[in-house]
Amino acid sequence: MTNIILFGPPGSGKGTQATKLAEKYNLIHISTGDLFRYEMGNDTPLGLEAKSFIDKGELVPDSVTIGMLENKMNKHPEANGFILDGFPRTIKQSEALDEIFANKNMAISALLSLDVNKEELVKRLLERGKTSGRADDVDPEIISNRISVYHEQTAPVYNYYDKKDLSKTIDGIGSIEEIFDRLCNAISA
Ligand code: C5P
Ligand code: MG
């Protein structure tokens, strides 16, 4: 069983690469951001709660996000493995994830972190904002806040898994295929 955390700042290419990796390795792709956007699109209570944080570029409270992730994983008992895109984003989420996996007798295989500089991230997010319909991709201040939140609350997750010898940094600059090859090489290694 292969369970990958695809890690990196907003705009680093997690969604694009997770989709490709899920197909190649037959994994269930879980994007917590996409799950929130689905709930927001349907105006559910969860969506309305999440929206107040997402529109500002802040993180949704851990208990909400962890519950949603666990629910989604539980819907796939047949899974060959998971690729988590956008989760965990805090140390609390990492600890909860370890517990969820331990209870299922499963383990994280690797955390792969896409390394992209801030200038390129802002450029990509503004470009995506032209068509994504995402309010958080349009305003440069919100984009900047998302990147700050990443450095303050999410970056420590890399070290958390590095201590378990699971973290690896992947150069996230290049063509989609080049980056995909780097990720596949890291998974095979
Ligand atoms: O992963 P993605 O960039 O699509 O997430 C969009 C937004 O959803 C984040 O900026 C954040 O507000 C929220 N989110 C969160 N916690 C997560 C994943 C996403 O708060 N684990
Ligand atoms: Mg994404």
Side-chain angles (χ1 to χ4, degrees):
M1 196 171 199
T2 305
N3 295 301
I4 306 286
I5 297 171
L6 197 55
F7 194 74
S12 58
K14 299 185 297 294
T16 303
Q17 297 294 339
T19 302
K20 290 171 68 68
L21 291 168
E23 193 186 346
K24 173 162 173 165
Y25 294 100
N26 187 26
L27 306 174
I28 302 289
H29 173 192
I30 302 183
S31 158
T32 37
D34 286 350
L35 293 176
F36 282 131
R37 283 184 285 277
Y38 177 82
E39 300 287 335
M40 281 161 41
N42 287 295
D43 286 331
T44 64
L46 171 58
L48 291 173
E49 185 181 4
K51 186 173 164 55
S52 61
F53 298 95
I54 292 176
D55 283 356
K56 288 183 283 192
E58 304 286 339
L59 294 183
V60 178
D62 285 323
S63 57
V64 175
T65 308
I66 291 163
M68 183 179 72
L69 184 275
E70 191 169 13
N71 263 337
K72 184 73 180 175
M73 281 188 68
N74 286 341
K75 287 191 179 135
H76 293 280
E78 82 297 348
N80 188 37
F82 291 91
I83 181 152
L84 303 181
D85 153 10
F87 185 98
R89 254 180 164 91
T90 62
I91 295 292
K92 256 235 162 92
Q93 291 177 22
S94 310
E95 289 166 351
L97 182 66
D98 284 356
E99 205 177 312
I100 293 168
F101 270 70
N103 287 336
K104 294 180 186 294
N105 282 314
M106 289 163 42
I108 308 283
S109 313
L111 177 152
L112 304 177
S113 177
L114 292 167
D115 183 27
V116 176
N117 62 66
K118 180 168 179 183
E119 194 189 347
E120 173 74 12
L121 294 174
V122 173
K123 195 178 103 193
R124 287 185 191 177
L125 290 169
L126 286 172
E127 188 58 35
R128 185 171 78 183
K130 291 178 187 167
T131 53
S132 68
R134 285 179 57 171
D136 60 346
D137 282 347
V138 180
D139 182 336
E141 275 200 23
I142 294 172
I143 288 177
S144 200
N145 190 40
R146 289 166 67 196
I147 295 172
S148 302
V149 166
Y150 172 81
H151 286 296
E152 286 156 20
Q153 300 183 50
T154 305
V157 169
Y158 183 94
N159 296 328
Y160 177 90
Y161 286 102
D162 199 34
K163 286 194 191 122
K164 302 175 194 272
D165 227 13
L166 293 172
S167 294
K168 225 180 244 186
T169 300
I170 307 291
D171 180 3
I173 301 283
S175 71
I176 290 174
E177 287 307 321
E178 279 164 354
I179 299 164
F180 182 60
D181 283 346
R182 289 175 202 146
L183 288 165
C184 293
N185 288 337
I187 291 171
S188 322

